[in-house]
Amino acid sequence: MTLDRLWAGWRAHYIDDIATKPPSDECLFCGLLAMGDEEAMILERGDCSFTVMNAYPYTSGHLMVAPRAHVA
């Protein structure tokens, strides 16, 4: 059996809410770094990167590792 589409119905409220907000000029990752660890769900801040939990994961345990440097 193949999975044609991954759908987490419980995320619908989040998706609807995001779709109605105007886009932000702020970088998502710079915004997270400016917040406190608990509020931003940051697990670790390293010299070159940081690890953050995903507020609305498709699978449990999903994490993101992002660079601290803001470059094009």
Side-chain angles (χ1 to χ4, degrees):
M1 179 170 84
T2 63
L3 182 64
D4 295 329
R5 185 173 298 160
L6 181 61
W7 172 248
W10 57 270
R11 298 180 84 231
H13 176 72
Y14 168 73
I15 293 167
D16 289 342
D17 190 43
I18 291 296
T20 59
K21 289 184 180 177
S24 172
D25 290 337
E26 180 182 48
C27 169
L28 165 69
F29 301 113
C30 290
L32 287 172
L33 283 171
M35 298 166 71
D37 289 354
E38 190 171 322
E39 181 184 9
M41 298 192 299
I42 293 176
L43 301 174
E44 159 292 320
R45 292 176 189 251
D47 293 334
C48 298
S49 65
F50 67 103
T51 305
V52 62
M53 293 173 51
N54 189 339
Y56 298 95
Y58 275 107
T59 60
S60 58
H62 180 230
L63 303 173
M64 294 185 289
V65 178
R68 292 181 67 112
H70 185 110
V71 296

